[in-house]
Amino acid sequence: MSLVNLSHVCSHLNNATKARLGFTSIPNSNLHLKLCLALQNSGYISSVVRGGPTPPPIHNLLGNPTVNDEVQGVEPLTQTNVASRRLWLGLKYWQSEPVLGKMTMVSKPTRRITIDVAGLRQVIRGEKSSYVEGLRSPGESLYLSTDQGILEARECVEKKLGGLVLCRIL
């Protein structure tokens, strides 16, 4: 898991929402895909589509996309094109404001921060737990990498899971 690349993705998404882009692309990796699907499940982004260096057809981005390449008609993954694959993300806006707020990394490449369920309960209540600040508003989210994939902090408490704290959305 490369947290350096994930911090690049966070800053890219911040810049894309500030520039009011309708859709953008990030490098394709399993970590990026799982995080983007978690963001889509939380309602921060509208679509996640795997594609090549050129954008996929607009109906895939605006319709009901899935991450299955055969359904979308995107070229299959081969050994020669694996480096050029991208994840195309549809960004959401509400009343001219981006739905995805400021996205910041909590764990850094030089300092990985893990948290258990008890500490996570404190964070959700708004209290500080070790190195993680509490959630201050209802729209704020914290994403963790767990054994069951990348989940939002409230889901982790429901499932009684701890893990590596990845990023926070303010």
Side-chain angles (χ1 to χ4, degrees):
M1 174 183 339
S2 174
L3 292 179
V4 173
N5 292 337
L6 190 61
S7 64
H8 291 310
V9 167
C10 289
S11 64
H12 177 77
L13 289 176
N14 285 335
N15 292 336
T17 56
K18 284 180 187 175
R20 302 277 197 260
L21 298 180
F23 59 94
T24 187
S25 70
I26 59 173
N28 183 21
S29 74
N30 287 334
L31 178 65
H32 298 164
L33 176 65
K34 290 176 185 175
L35 179 64
C36 289
L37 289 175
L39 290 173
Q40 185 182 19
N41 287 340
S42 297
Y44 288 111
I45 58 178
S46 62
S47 63
V48 179
V49 177
R50 275 188 180 154
T54 59
I58 196 71
H59 63 77
N60 285 339
L61 287 170
L62 298 178
N64 189 7
T66 61
V67 293
N68 190 352
D69 292 339
E70 290 77 27
V71 173
Q72 298 168 4
V74 178
E75 62 179 303
L77 181 66
T78 62
Q79 201 68 5
T80 57
N81 71 356
V82 70
S84 65
R85 301 288 286 194
R86 309 283 291 171
L87 288 174
W88 290 87
L89 309 176
L91 302 177
K92 290 172 85 173
Y93 298 92
W94 176 255
Q95 296 178 348
S96 299
E97 291 296 319
V99 174
L100 181 67
K102 185 177 179 186
M103 193 171 179
T104 58
M105 290 291 295
V106 177
S107 289
K108 306 283 192 251
T110 56
R111 184 178 205 166
R112 294 177 182 237
I113 298 173
T114 58
I115 194 166
D116 59 351
V117 181
L120 205 49
R121 282 192 180 112
Q122 288 180 335
V123 170
I124 289 174
R125 285 191 303 244
E127 304 167 4
K128 183 176 179 177
S129 174
S130 66
Y131 298 104
V132 182
E133 292 290 329
L135 299 179
R136 293 177 284 281
S137 66
E140 195 171 346
S141 298
L142 189 69
Y143 288 91
L144 286 85
S145 177
T146 66
D147 295 338
Q148 295 182 5
I150 295 179
L151 301 173
E152 206 271 329
R154 293 169 185 92
E155 294 176 56
C156 291
V157 170
E158 288 175 9
K159 296 181 179 183
K160 297 181 180 169
L161 294 170
L164 177 69
V165 182
L166 293 177
C167 60
R168 166 187 299 255
I169 297 177
L170 303 172

